Amino acid sequence: MVITAKIILVLLMFFMVFNLGRALFVMLRDDPDQPPMTRFLGRRVGASALAILIIVVLLATGLLEGNPRPY
C-alpha cells in the first residue's frame, strides 16, 4: 500500500512539473487559440492539494511514518 502511494505521489510531482512547463509555454507564446495559462496552473494546484491530502491520510493511518523530532 505504501509503495503504491509513493509511486502515485511521484507521478503527481511529474504531473505538476509538466503542467508548470505547459503554463510557461502558453505564457511565452501568448496565442489566443491556446487554452489559458490558469488552466494549467489550476491543475498544478489541484495536484498539489491531492498530494498533501494523500500524505495526511497516510500519516493519520500510520502507514507512513514522519521524521522524528530533531531534539
Side-chain angles (χ1 to χ4, degrees):
M1 173 69 181
V2 176
I3 294 174
T4 57
K6 288 181 181 180
I7 291 172
I8 290 171
L9 288 173
V10 168
L11 291 175
L12 279 171
M13 296 298 167
F14 284 129
F15 182 71
M16 285 182 241
V17 171
F18 175 73
N19 278 310
L20 193 60
R22 294 230 11 215
L24 174 70
F25 284 122
V26 168
M27 180 182 70
L28 292 176
R29 289 189 183 156
D30 196 27
D31 186 11
D33 296 332
Q34 291 285 337
M37 180 178 62
T38 56
R39 179 180 191 187
F40 301 112
L41 293 177
R43 286 181 183 174
R44 181 179 160 259
V45 170
S48 299
L50 182 62
I52 290 172
L53 181 69
I54 290 172
I55 291 170
V56 167
V57 167
L58 289 175
L59 287 171
T61 58
L63 293 173
L64 188 68
E65 293 182 19
N67 289 335
R69 291 184 164 186
Y71 48 86

